[in-house]
Amino acid sequence: MRIRRSLAAVIATAALAGLGLTGAATATAVTATAATATSPAESPTPGECEKGGGTVDRATNTCRGGTYNGQMVD
């Protein structure tokens, strides 16, 4: 009987620890995404365009490719 209780306690502890780690990873991912995304009203800087994987087209002043593709650059 003690073995069953011990096993149940170990499984419950592992399950709760797993849920805590999953929740923390999800919260970190959402925070990182929110911090790097810009709203449509804001234009990315040339550095942000390049960090996002694009290049600045100086003729049209837009970002080509990457995260900010087609957006006007400050």
Side-chain angles (χ1 to χ4, degrees):
M1 193 61 130
R2 269 198 299 191
I3 293 174
R4 284 188 200 168
R5 286 184 196 160
S6 297
L7 184 59
V10 169
I11 291 172
T13 303
L16 289 175
L19 287 176
L21 293 175
T22 303
T26 303
T28 302
V30 170
T31 303
T33 303
T36 57
T38 61
S39 65
E42 296 178 12
S43 297
T45 62
E48 290 173 334
C49 174
E50 292 171 359
K51 272 188 176 178
T55 57
V56 179
D57 183 356
R58 299 288 179 188
T60 59
N61 208 27
T62 57
C63 185
R64 296 285 175 213
T67 306
Y68 303 103
N69 187 33
Q71 291 186 14
M72 296 296 292
V73 177
D74 286 350

Coordinates of all heavy atoms in Angstrom, one line a residue:
M1 N 0.8 -1.2 0.0 CA 0.0 0.0 0.0 C 0.9 1.3 0.0 O 0.5 2.2 -0.7 CB -0.9 0.0 1.2 CG -2.0 1.0 1.2 SD -3.1 0.7 -0.2 CE -4.6 0.8 0.5
R2 N 2.0 1.3 0.8 CA 2.9 2.4 0.8 C 3.5 2.6 -0.6 O 3.8 3.8 -0.9 CB 3.9 2.2 1.9 CG 3.5 2.8 3.2 CD 4.7 3.0 4.1 NE 5.4 1.7 4.3 CZ 6.3 1.6 5.2 NH1 6.7 2.6 6.0 NH2 6.9 0.4 5.4
I3 N 3.8 1.6 -1.3 CA 4.4 1.7 -2.6 C 3.5 2.4 -3.5 O 3.9 3.3 -4.3 CB 4.8 0.3 -3.1 CG1 5.9 -0.3 -2.2 CG2 5.3 0.4 -4.6 CD1 6.3 -1.7 -2.6
R4 N 2.2 2.1 -3.5 CA 1.2 2.7 -4.4 C 1.1 4.2 -4.1 O 1.1 5.0 -5.0 CB -0.2 2.1 -4.2 CG -0.3 0.8 -4.9 CD -1.7 0.3 -4.8 NE -1.8 -1.1 -5.0 CZ -2.9 -1.9 -4.8 NH1 -4.0 -1.3 -4.3 NH2 -2.9 -3.1 -5.0
R5 N 1.1 4.6 -2.8 CA 1.0 6.0 -2.4 C 2.3 6.7 -2.8 O 2.2 7.8 -3.4 CB 0.8 6.1 -0.9 CG -0.6 5.7 -0.5 CD -0.7 6.0 1.0 NE -1.9 5.3 1.5 CZ -2.1 5.0 2.7 NH1 -1.2 5.3 3.7 NH2 -3.2 4.3 3.1
S6 N 3.4 6.1 -2.6 CA 4.7 6.7 -3.0 C 4.7 6.9 -4.5 O 5.1 8.0 -5.0 CB 5.8 5.9 -2.6 OG 5.9 5.8 -1.2
L7 N 4.3 5.9 -5.3 CA 4.3 6.0 -6.7 C 3.3 7.1 -7.2 O 3.7 7.9 -8.1 CB 3.9 4.6 -7.3 CG 4.0 4.6 -8.9 CD1 5.4 4.9 -9.4 CD2 3.6 3.2 -9.3
A8 N 2.2 7.2 -6.6 CA 1.2 8.2 -7.0 C 1.8 9.6 -6.7 O 1.6 10.5 -7.5 CB -0.1 8.0 -6.2
A9 N 2.5 9.7 -5.5 CA 3.0 11.0 -5.2 C 4.1 11.4 -6.2 O 4.2 12.6 -6.6 CB 3.6 11.0 -3.8
V10 N 4.9 10.5 -6.6 CA 6.0 10.8 -7.6 C 5.4 11.2 -8.9 O 5.9 12.1 -9.5 CB 7.0 9.5 -7.7 CG1 7.9 9.7 -8.9 CG2 7.7 9.3 -6.4
I11 N 4.4 10.4 -9.3 CA 3.8 10.8 -10.6 C 3.1 12.1 -10.6 O 3.2 12.9 -11.5 CB 2.8 9.7 -11.0 CG1 3.5 8.4 -11.4 CG2 1.9 10.1 -12.2 CD1 2.7 7.2 -11.6
A12 N 2.4 12.4 -9.5 CA 1.8 13.7 -9.4 C 2.8 14.9 -9.4 O 2.6 15.9 -10.0 CB 0.9 13.7 -8.1
T13 N 3.9 14.7 -8.6 CA 4.9 15.7 -8.6 C 5.5 15.9 -10.0 O 5.8 17.0 -10.4 CB 6.0 15.3 -7.6 OG1 5.4 15.1 -6.3 CG2 7.1 16.3 -7.5
A14 N 5.8 14.8 -10.7 CA 6.4 15.0 -12.0 C 5.4 15.7 -13.0 O 5.8 16.5 -13.8 CB 6.7 13.6 -12.5
A15 N 4.1 15.3 -12.8 CA 3.1 16.0 -13.7 C 3.1 17.5 -13.4 O 3.0 18.3 -14.4 CB 1.8 15.3 -13.5
L16 N 3.0 17.8 -12.2 CA 3.0 19.3 -11.8 C 4.2 20.0 -12.3 O 4.2 21.1 -12.7 CB 2.7 19.4 -10.3 CG 1.4 19.0 -9.8 CD1 1.3 19.1 -8.3 CD2 0.3 19.9 -10.5
A17 N 5.4 19.4 -12.1 CA 6.6 20.0 -12.5 C 6.7 20.2 -14.0 O 7.1 21.2 -14.5 CB 7.8 19.2 -12.1
G18 N 6.2 19.2 -14.8 CA 6.1 19.3 -16.2 C 5.2 20.4 -16.7 O 5.5 21.2 -17.6
L19 N 4.1 20.6 -16.0 CA 3.1 21.7 -16.4 C 3.7 23.0 -16.1 O 3.6 23.9 -16.9 CB 1.8 21.5 -15.6 CG 0.9 20.4 -16.1 CD1 -0.3 20.3 -15.2 CD2 0.5 20.5 -17.5
G20 N 4.5 23.1 -15.0 CA 5.1 24.4 -14.7 C 6.2 24.8 -15.7 O 6.2 25.9 -16.2
L21 N 6.9 23.8 -16.2 CA 8.0 24.1 -17.2 C 7.3 24.5 -18.5 O 7.8 25.4 -19.2 CB 8.9 22.9 -17.4 CG 9.8 22.6 -16.2 CD1 10.6 21.3 -16.4 CD2 10.7 23.7 -15.9
T22 N 6.3 23.8 -18.9 CA 5.6 24.1 -20.2 C 5.0 25.5 -20.1 O 5.1 26.2 -21.1 CB 4.5 23.0 -20.4 OG1 5.1 21.7 -20.4 CG2 3.8 23.3 -21.8
G23 N 4.3 25.8 -19.0 CA 3.7 27.1 -18.9 C 4.8 28.2 -19.0 O 4.6 29.3 -19.6
A24 N 5.9 28.0 -18.3 CA 7.0 29.0 -18.3 C 7.6 29.2 -19.7 O 7.8 30.3 -20.2 CB 8.1 28.6 -17.4
A25 N 7.7 28.1 -20.5 CA 8.3 28.2 -21.8 C 7.3 28.9 -22.7 O 7.7 29.8 -23.6 CB 8.5 26.8 -22.4
T26 N 6.0 28.7 -22.6 CA 5.0 29.3 -23.4 C 5.0 30.8 -23.1 O 4.9 31.7 -24.0 CB 3.6 28.7 -23.1 OG1 3.7 27.3 -23.4 CG2 2.5 29.4 -24.0
A27 N 5.0 31.2 -21.8 CA 5.0 32.6 -21.4 C 6.2 33.3 -22.0 O 6.1 34.4 -22.4 CB 4.9 32.7 -19.9
T28 N 7.4 32.7 -22.0 CA 8.6 33.3 -22.5 C 8.5 33.5 -24.0 O 8.9 34.5 -24.5 CB 9.8 32.4 -22.2 OG1 9.9 32.2 -20.8 CG2 11.1 33.0 -22.7
A29 N 7.9 32.5 -24.7 CA 7.8 32.6 -26.1 C 6.8 33.8 -26.5 O 7.1 34.5 -27.4 CB 7.3 31.3 -26.7
V30 N 5.7 33.9 -25.8 CA 4.8 34.9 -26.1 C 5.4 36.3 -25.8 O 5.2 37.2 -26.6 CB 3.5 34.7 -25.3 CG1 2.6 35.9 -25.4 CG2 2.8 33.5 -25.8
T31 N 6.1 36.4 -24.7 CA 6.7 37.7 -24.4 C 7.8 38.1 -25.4 O 7.8 39.2 -25.8 CB 7.4 37.6 -23.0 OG1 6.4 37.2 -22.0 CG2 8.0 38.9 -22.6
A32 N 8.6 37.2 -25.8 CA 9.6 37.5 -26.8 C 9.0 37.9 -28.2 O 9.5 38.8 -28.8 CB 10.5 36.2 -27.1
T33 N 7.9 37.3 -28.6 CA 7.2 37.6 -29.8 C 6.6 39.0 -29.7 O 6.8 39.8 -30.6 CB 6.1 36.6 -30.1 OG1 6.7 35.3 -30.2 CG2 5.5 36.9 -31.4
A34 N 6.0 39.3 -28.6 CA 5.4 40.6 -28.4 C 6.4 41.7 -28.4 O 6.2 42.8 -28.8 CB 4.6 40.6 -27.1
A35 N 7.6 41.4 -27.8 CA 8.6 42.5 -27.7 C 9.3 42.8 -29.1 O 9.7 43.9 -29.3 CB 9.7 42.0 -26.8
T36 N 9.3 41.8 -30.0 CA 10.0 42.1 -31.3 C 9.0 42.5 -32.4 O 9.5 43.1 -33.4 CB 10.7 40.8 -31.8 OG1 9.8 39.7 -31.8 CG2 11.8 40.4 -30.8
A37 N 7.7 42.3 -32.2 CA 6.8 42.7 -33.2 C 6.5 44.2 -33.2 O 6.5 44.7 -32.1 CB 5.5 41.9 -33.1
T38 N 6.3 44.8 -34.3 CA 5.9 46.2 -34.3 C 4.4 46.3 -34.8 O 4.0 45.4 -35.6 CB 6.8 47.0 -35.3 OG1 6.6 46.5 -36.6 CG2 8.2 47.0 -34.8
S39 N 3.8 47.3 -34.4 CA 2.4 47.5 -34.8 C 2.4 48.0 -36.2 O 3.4 48.6 -36.6 CB 1.7 48.4 -33.8 OG 2.2 49.7 -33.9
P40 N 1.2 47.9 -36.9 CA 1.2 48.4 -38.3 C 1.4 49.9 -38.4 O 1.9 50.3 -39.5 CB -0.2 48.0 -38.7 CG -0.7 46.9 -37.8 CD 0.1 47.2 -36.5
A41 N 1.2 50.7 -37.4 CA 1.4 52.1 -37.4 C 2.8 52.5 -37.4 O 3.2 53.6 -37.8 CB 0.6 52.8 -36.3
E42 N 3.7 51.6 -36.9 CA 5.1 51.9 -36.8 C 5.9 51.3 -38.0 O 5.6 50.3 -38.4 CB 5.7 51.3 -35.5 CG 5.1 51.9 -34.2 CD 5.6 51.2 -33.0 OE1 6.6 50.5 -33.1 OE2 5.1 51.4 -31.9
S43 N 6.9 52.1 -38.4 CA 7.8 51.6 -39.5 C 9.0 51.1 -38.8 O 9.6 51.7 -37.9 CB 8.1 52.8 -40.4 OG 6.9 53.2 -41.0
P44 N 9.6 50.0 -39.4 CA 10.8 49.5 -38.8 C 12.0 50.3 -39.2 O 12.0 51.0 -40.2 CB 10.9 48.1 -39.5 CG 10.2 48.2 -40.7 CD 9.0 49.1 -40.5
T45 N 13.0 50.3 -38.4 CA 14.3 51.0 -38.8 C 15.0 50.1 -39.7 O 14.7 48.9 -39.9 CB 15.1 51.3 -37.5 OG1 15.5 50.0 -36.9 CG2 14.3 52.1 -36.5
P46 N 16.0 50.7 -40.4 CA 16.9 49.9 -41.3 C 17.5 48.7 -40.6 O 17.6 47.6 -41.1 CB 17.9 50.8 -41.8 CG 17.3 52.2 -41.8 CD 16.4 52.1 -40.6
G47 N 17.9 48.9 -39.3 CA 18.5 47.8 -38.5 C 17.5 46.7 -38.2 O 17.8 45.5 -38.3
E48 N 16.3 47.1 -37.9 CA 15.2 46.1 -37.6 C 14.9 45.3 -38.9 O 14.6 44.1 -38.9 CB 14.0 46.8 -37.1 CG 14.1 47.3 -35.7 CD 12.9 48.1 -35.3 OE1 12.2 48.7 -36.1 OE2 12.7 48.2 -34.0
C49 N 14.9 46.0 -40.0 CA 14.6 45.3 -41.3 C 15.7 44.2 -41.6 O 15.4 43.1 -41.9 CB 14.6 46.3 -42.5 SG 14.5 45.6 -44.1
E50 N 16.9 44.6 -41.4 CA 18.0 43.6 -41.6 C 18.0 42.5 -40.6 O 18.3 41.4 -40.9 CB 19.4 44.4 -41.6 CG 19.5 45.3 -42.8 CD 20.7 46.2 -42.8 OE1 21.4 46.2 -41.8 OE2 20.8 47.0 -43.8
K51 N 17.7 42.8 -39.3 CA 17.6 41.8 -38.3 C 16.5 40.8 -38.6 O 16.6 39.6 -38.2 CB 17.3 42.4 -36.9 CG 18.6 42.8 -36.1 CD 18.1 43.2 -34.7 CE 19.3 43.6 -33.9 NZ 18.9 44.0 -32.5
G52 N 15.5 41.3 -39.2 CA 14.3 40.4 -39.6 C 14.6 39.6 -40.8 O 13.7 38.9 -41.3
G53 N 15.8 39.7 -41.4 CA 16.1 38.9 -42.5 C 15.9 39.6 -43.9 O 16.0 39.0 -44.9
G54 N 15.6 40.9 -43.9 CA 15.4 41.6 -45.1 C 16.5 42.5 -45.5 O 17.5 42.6 -44.7
T55 N 16.4 43.2 -46.6 CA 17.3 44.3 -47.0 C 16.5 45.5 -47.3 O 15.4 45.5 -47.7 CB 18.1 43.9 -48.3 OG1 17.2 43.6 -49.3 CG2 19.0 42.7 -48.0
V56 N 17.2 46.7 -47.1 CA 16.5 48.0 -47.3 C 16.7 48.4 -48.8 O 17.8 48.4 -49.3 CB 17.1 49.1 -46.4 CG1 16.4 50.4 -46.6 CG2 16.9 48.7 -44.9
D57 N 15.6 48.6 -49.4 CA 15.6 49.1 -50.8 C 15.6 50.6 -50.7 O 14.5 51.2 -50.4 CB 14.4 48.6 -51.6 CG 14.3 49.0 -53.0 OD1 15.3 49.8 -53.5 OD2 13.4 48.6 -53.8
R58 N 16.7 51.3 -50.9 CA 16.8 52.7 -50.8 C 16.1 53.5 -51.8 O 15.6 54.6 -51.6 CB 18.3 53.1 -50.8 CG 19.2 52.5 -49.7 CD 18.9 53.1 -48.4 NE 19.7 52.4 -47.4 CZ 19.5 52.6 -46.1 NH1 18.6 53.4 -45.7 NH2 20.3 52.0 -45.3
A59 N 15.8 52.9 -53.0 CA 15.1 53.6 -54.1 C 13.6 53.8 -53.7 O 13.0 54.9 -53.9 CB 15.1 52.8 -55.4
T60 N 13.0 52.8 -53.0 CA 11.6 52.9 -52.6 C 11.4 53.1 -51.1 O 10.3 53.3 -50.6 CB 10.8 51.7 -53.1 OG1 11.4 50.5 -52.4 CG2 10.8 51.5 -54.6
N61 N 12.5 53.1 -50.4 CA 12.5 53.2 -48.9 C 11.7 52.2 -48.2 O 10.9 52.5 -47.3 CB 12.1 54.6 -48.5 CG 12.7 55.0 -47.2 OD1 13.8 54.6 -46.8 ND2 12.1 55.9 -46.5
T62 N 11.7 50.9 -48.7 CA 11.0 49.8 -48.2 C 11.9 48.7 -47.8 O 13.0 48.6 -48.2 CB 9.9 49.3 -49.1 OG1 10.5 48.9 -50.3 CG2 8.9 50.3 -49.5
C63 N 11.4 47.8 -47.0 CA 12.1 46.6 -46.6 C 11.7 45.5 -47.5 O 10.5 45.2 -47.7 CB 11.7 46.2 -45.1 SG 12.7 44.9 -44.5
R64 N 12.7 44.8 -48.1 CA 12.4 43.7 -49.0 C 12.8 42.4 -48.4 O 14.0 42.2 -48.0 CB 13.2 43.9 -50.3 CG 12.9 45.1 -51.1 CD 11.5 44.9 -51.8 NE 11.1 46.1 -52.4 CZ 9.9 46.4 -52.6 NH1 8.9 45.7 -52.1 NH2 9.5 47.6 -53.2
G65 N 11.8 41.5 -48.2 CA 12.1 40.2 -47.7 C 12.1 40.2 -46.2 O 12.0 41.3 -45.5
G66 N 12.0 39.0 -45.6 CA 12.1 38.9 -44.1 C 10.8 39.2 -43.4 O 9.7 39.3 -44.0
T67 N 10.9 39.6 -42.2 CA 9.7 39.8 -41.3 C 8.9 41.1 -41.7 O 7.7 41.1 -41.7 CB 10.2 40.0 -39.9 OG1 11.0 38.9 -39.5 CG2 9.0 40.1 -38.9
Y68 N 9.6 42.1 -42.2 CA 9.0 43.4 -42.5 C 8.8 43.6 -44.0 O 8.8 44.8 -44.4 CB 9.8 44.5 -41.9 CG 10.0 44.4 -40.4 CD1 11.2 43.9 -39.9 CD2 9.0 44.6 -39.5 CE1 11.4 43.8 -38.5 CE2 9.2 44.5 -38.1 CZ 10.4 44.0 -37.6 OH 10.6 43.9 -36.3
N69 N 8.7 42.6 -44.7 CA 8.6 42.7 -46.2 C 7.5 43.7 -46.6 O 6.4 43.5 -46.2 CB 8.4 41.3 -46.8 CG 8.4 41.3 -48.3 OD1 9.2 42.1 -48.9 ND2 7.6 40.5 -48.9
G70 N 7.9 44.7 -47.4 CA 7.0 45.6 -48.0 C 6.7 46.8 -47.1 O 6.0 47.7 -47.6
Q71 N 7.1 46.8 -45.9 CA 6.9 47.9 -45.0 C 7.8 49.1 -45.3 O 9.0 48.9 -45.6 CB 6.9 47.5 -43.5 CG 5.8 46.6 -43.1 CD 5.9 46.3 -41.6 OE1 6.6 47.0 -40.9 NE2 5.2 45.3 -41.2
M72 N 7.3 50.3 -45.1 CA 8.2 51.5 -45.3 C 9.2 51.5 -44.1 O 8.9 51.2 -43.0 CB 7.3 52.8 -45.2 CG 6.3 52.9 -46.4 SD 7.1 53.0 -48.0 CE 7.9 54.6 -47.9
V73 N 10.4 52.0 -44.4 CA 11.5 52.0 -43.4 C 11.7 53.5 -43.0 O 11.6 54.4 -43.9 CB 12.8 51.4 -44.0 CG1 13.9 51.6 -43.1 CG2 12.6 50.0 -44.5
D74 N 11.9 53.7 -41.7 CA 12.1 55.1 -41.2 C 13.4 55.6 -41.8 O 14.5 55.0 -41.7 CB 12.3 55.0 -39.7 CG 10.9 54.9 -39.0 OD1 9.9 54.9 -39.7 OD2 10.9 54.7 -37.8

